[in-house]
Amino acid sequence: SSDGQSYTITATASGNSSTTQTAVANTATVITYDTTAFSQNISVVDGSKITFAVDGDYVLNFSFQMANSDTQIHTADFWVRLNGTDYPLSNTSLDIPSKHGGIDGHIVASWSIPGQASAGDYVQLVWSTNSSNVSIEYTGVQTSPTRPSTPSVIATVWQVG
């Protein structure tokens, strides 16, 4: 680390979703996960609550495969809830490109948020959009060339101190 101390990572997890996630326009919607790639002292409870087993400083990294099936640009917002309460200064807003040439507009939303958690705390990722034409899109296995499926959501958490 930059402060001359060394740390042992005692908590880490990664989860994703193999379903397209939709929202009712202008409604806060909790993001869900259906697969855990790996987990140590962090678990996903009730499909959406990233739950910590040990106290520490953490970094939450996530990406969403956004799609817009409308011919107009639409906006989506993303934020974090800690123990059911919106986490201050965690919202990010972005415009999802419009459909063009018969192809849905796409963009990947991805960023990291540092924070502290105590044993038993949980975080949830939440989103809203101004249009039901916007989704967080899962894409199955593709061909020409063959490539793996694309999860709609990837969330990774690791302890940094």
Side-chain angles (χ1 to χ4, degrees):
S1 75
S2 63
D3 62 6
Q5 299 179 7
S6 62
Y7 299 99
T8 300
I9 295 177
T10 58
T12 185
S14 181
N16 58 56
S17 175
S18 61
T19 60
T20 294
Q21 300 194 33
T22 59
V24 174
N26 303 310
T27 303
T29 304
V30 174
I31 290 168
T32 60
Y33 315 91
D34 57 19
T35 304
T36 301
F38 58 85
S39 173
Q40 178 183 339
N41 288 320
I42 300 172
S43 58
V44 176
V45 176
D46 298 332
S48 69
K49 297 175 181 175
I50 300 169
T51 305
F52 302 90
V54 294
D55 297 352
D57 298 322
Y58 292 90
V59 173
L60 170 62
N61 186 62
F62 49 92
S63 68
F64 307 124
Q65 301 286 330
M66 302 305 301
N68 179 3
S69 62
D70 195 12
T71 57
Q72 301 296 312
I73 294 172
H74 291 292
T75 302
D77 287 271
F78 308 89
W79 66 96
V80 175
R81 284 186 178 156
L82 175 63
N83 298 323
T85 301
D86 294 341
Y87 194 75
L89 302 174
S90 68
N91 187 66
T92 296
S93 181
L94 75 120
D95 291 331
I96 314 303
S98 61
K99 182 177 190 170
H100 48 283
I103 309 245
D104 288 353
H106 290 92
I107 193 167
V108 174
S110 178
W111 58 98
S112 298
I113 297 177
Q116 294 182 325
S118 299
D121 283 351
Y122 68 90
V123 295
Q124 292 173 297
L125 298 175
V126 184
W127 77 296
S128 69
T129 177
N130 64 346
S131 171
S132 60
N133 291 308
V134 173
S135 63
I136 307 175
E137 184 178 67
Y138 167 80
T139 304
V141 173
Q142 299 175 67
T143 59
S144 297
T146 301
R147 51 203 185 274
S149 59
T150 304
S152 57
V153 175
I154 299 172
T156 306
V157 184
W158 64 95
Q159 186 177 16
V160 294

